[in-house]
Amino acid sequence: MTFILVIKTSKKIIKVKTIKIDDVISDESIRSVKIAKIDVEGAELLVLKGMRESLAKKIIKQLLVEVNSDCENYGILPEDTFNFIRSFGY
């Protein structure tokens, strides 16, 4: 399933076609991922929510996530991202 992420900047609106990591893992029958690195300039929680099943099933063994105040552009606090990750035992 694909989604459209709409990013509003001061000058324009950008639409980006996306796919959930859970869908890629399922479609490709991936059983294990050693490490997932996420650095998406503030949208980390959005990416993590798209890999919820994989996190719950511990398919992804390690996470490396850059979190900074850019997430506030998406109405997300850094703590929201940390709490989400912790809720899966990472």
Side-chain angles (χ1 to χ4, degrees), residues 15-51:
K15 294 182 181 181
V16 180
K17 188 175 179 180
T18 64
I19 185 168
K20 294 189 320 180
I21 292 172
D22 280 339
D23 292 342
V24 173
I25 287 174
S26 176
D27 293 349
E28 299 298 324
S29 301
I30 297 170
R31 293 181 289 172
S32 181
V33 175
K34 289 183 181 181
I35 188 166
K37 180 182 184 293
I38 304 169
D39 181 358
V40 289
E41 303 305 318
E44 288 77 16
L45 183 57
L46 301 175
V47 171
L48 288 161
K49 286 183 175 183
M51 55 198 306

Side-chain angles (χ1 to χ4, degrees), residues 58-76:
K58 301 294 187 216
I59 292 170
I60 299 168
K61 306 305 179 197
Q62 296 181 44
L63 288 172
L64 177 59
V65 182
E66 178 185 307
V67 178
N68 59 48
S69 62
D70 288 344
C71 61
E72 294 172 6
N73 295 329
Y74 298 91
I76 299 167

